[in-house]
Amino acid sequence: MTLTIGLVTTDTELVRQHDPDTAVLLRGLAEAGFRATAPVWHDPAVDWTAYDLLVIRSPWDYPERYAEFTGWLDRTAGRTRILNAPELIRWNIDKRYLDDFRALDVPCVPFTFGTTPAEAEAAIAALADSRVVVKPSVSAGARDTGLFQPDDPRAAELAAHIIASGKTAMIQPAMESVVEHGENALFFLNGEFAYACHKGPLLAPGGGYLGGEYTEVITRADPSAEEIDLGHRTVAAIAGIAARKGYGEDAGLPLYARVDIASQRGRDPLILEVEVFEPSYFTDVIPEATGLFVQAVERRCRS
C-alpha cells in the first residue's frame, strides 16, 4: 500500500524566497515509495482525509493568521495524523514554552515576558548592563525582532508595538557571542541527534537586520560534546513536559526538533530556542538531511 504524505506549507512570497527544502523532501519521499505533495494549509479545496500523514513544513504566515491556523490545526487533527503532534505545536508556537524548560532546570538564555508596555519597559531597564533583544512571543522569521542598547527608546517602542498588536513581548539580554558570531542549531529526528548547522549573526544594532534584510547565513557545524549533551537533555525534557501536560503519545517523541544553542567561551551552553513546529532542514547545506528525514518518516509510519 502506498502511503500519502503531505508537507504542509503556505503560499506567501516568504516561502517562495526562503524554502529550499520542500521540493527536495518531496522528491526524497517519492523515491522512497511514498505519494507526496505539499498542500497549502488554508486551501479550502484540500481533502485532508486523503492523507495518511501530514508533516508540518512551512506554514509561515501563521503569526498573522493565528486563530485561523490553530482552528485549522484542531479540525484537521480529527481527520488524519499530524507530526509534530498538534498539541506539541500549540505549545511550541508561543515562546512561553521556555517557562517549562526553565522549571525543569534546563539552562536557557534569561528571558522575561511583558504583556503591558510598563512590564516591558521594566524588563528592558533591568538589563542595564547588556544589550537587549526584543521580540514577540509568537513570530516566524525574526519578524518584529530587534537588538538595542537598553537606553535606546526604540527597544521600548518595539515592545509597545508588539503588545499593541495583541501579542506578548519577550525581552532577553543579548548573548554577545550570538550577536557577533552566531549560534549552533542541533537537529534531532525521532529523538536522535542527526546533524548540526551554524546560523550566522542576523540582527543589526538599533533594530532591523544585518545588510538591511532578513538573510540567514547557514553553514555545517561541528557541535561540542557539551552542546550535544544539552540537546539530548532538552529533547528528553520535551517527553516529560508532554507526559505532564497529558499530551498524546506522538507528542512525547517529536519527529523533528531543532535546539538552538548559545555557547560562550568558558561558560556552559544555553538554550536560545527549541523548535518543534516550523522546521527548516537546510538540505541545501546538509544534503544528507533529505535521506535522514525520509528515514525518520518511514520509522514513524511503522509506529
Side-chain angles (χ1 to χ4, degrees):
M1 176 182 174
T2 300
L3 299 181
T4 300
I5 309 294
L7 302 184
V8 178
T9 186
T10 191
D11 56 0
T12 65
E13 187 64 26
L14 180 66
V15 167
R16 287 188 285 272
Q17 291 179 347
H18 297 286
D19 180 10
D21 292 334
T22 298
V24 176
L25 297 177
L26 289 173
R27 186 163 58 248
L29 289 167
E31 291 172 353
F34 292 102
R35 183 183 298 110
T37 63
V40 172
W41 69 266
H42 54 80
D43 183 351
V46 175
D47 177 9
W48 300 106
T49 64
Y51 291 91
D52 298 291
L53 173 66
L54 294 175
V55 178
I56 299 298
R57 171 61 208 107
S58 47
W60 292 340
D61 52 355
Y62 75 88
E64 292 77 34
R65 308 172 72 166
Y66 181 80
E68 185 182 355
F69 176 78
T70 54
W72 169 85
L73 191 65
D74 290 342
R75 292 190 304 274
T76 309
R79 299 174 184 176
T80 190
R81 188 184 189 188
I82 302 175
L83 293 177
N84 283 325
E87 57 266 46
L88 195 63
I89 290 170
R90 274 187 166 275
W91 168 79
N92 193 231
I93 281 177
D94 194 319
K95 292 180 177 63
R96 285 183 178 272
Y97 68 79
L98 288 167
D99 285 327
D100 290 317
F101 287 115
R102 184 160 61 182
L104 293 174
D105 294 325
V106 177
C108 302
V109 173
F111 57 88
T112 302
F113 294 109
T115 58
T116 67
E119 289 179 352
E121 289 179 20
I124 293 167
L127 298 175
D129 294 332
S130 72
R131 292 193 284 183
V132 301
V133 174
V134 178
K135 64 182 73 171
S137 68
V138 177
S139 68
R143 278 173 271 183
D144 288 332
T145 297
L147 167 69
F148 305 96
Q149 295 291 346
D151 59 352
D152 188 333
R154 290 173 293 183
E157 289 169 5
L158 176 57
H161 166 74
I162 292 167
I163 293 165
S165 70
K167 299 180 179 180
T168 297
M170 182 178 179
I171 296 91
Q172 295 180 286
M175 296 289 101
E176 292 301 329
S177 63
V178 175
V179 172
E180 299 297 331
H181 306 292
E183 64 204 64
N184 278 346
L186 278 62
F187 294 77
F188 292 79
L189 298 174
N190 289 325
E192 299 174 359
F193 174 64
Y195 57 92
C197 291
H198 181 76
K199 301 162 66 178
L202 178 64
L203 299 178
Y209 306 123
L210 293 172
E213 61 181 3
Y214 178 84
T215 304
E216 285 190 314
V217 179
I218 308 296
T219 56
R220 186 184 292 267
D222 183 18
S224 67
E226 291 79 11
E227 289 176 316
I228 294 174
D229 180 70
L230 179 56
H232 278 296
R233 181 179 170 187
T234 303
V235 174
I238 292 173
I241 292 166
R244 179 168 54 83
K245 292 179 177 291
Y247 295 162
E249 184 177 353
D250 268 341
L253 182 64
L255 171 70
Y256 163 98
R258 191 191 80 222
V259 183
D260 292 347
I261 294 178
S263 293
Q264 301 185 94
R265 184 174 299 175
R267 299 183 182 181
D268 291 335
L270 301 173
I271 297 300
L272 278 163
E273 184 173 356
V274 181
E275 183 63 76
V276 296
F277 170 37
E278 35 156 349
S280 290
Y281 295 92
F282 301 118
T283 55
D284 52 338
V285 177
I286 311 290
E288 64 268 31
T290 300
L292 293 170
F293 167 79
V294 172
Q295 291 171 16
V297 170
E298 288 176 324
R299 176 180 166 186
R300 292 305 282 271
C301 286
R302 294 193 298 266
S303 65

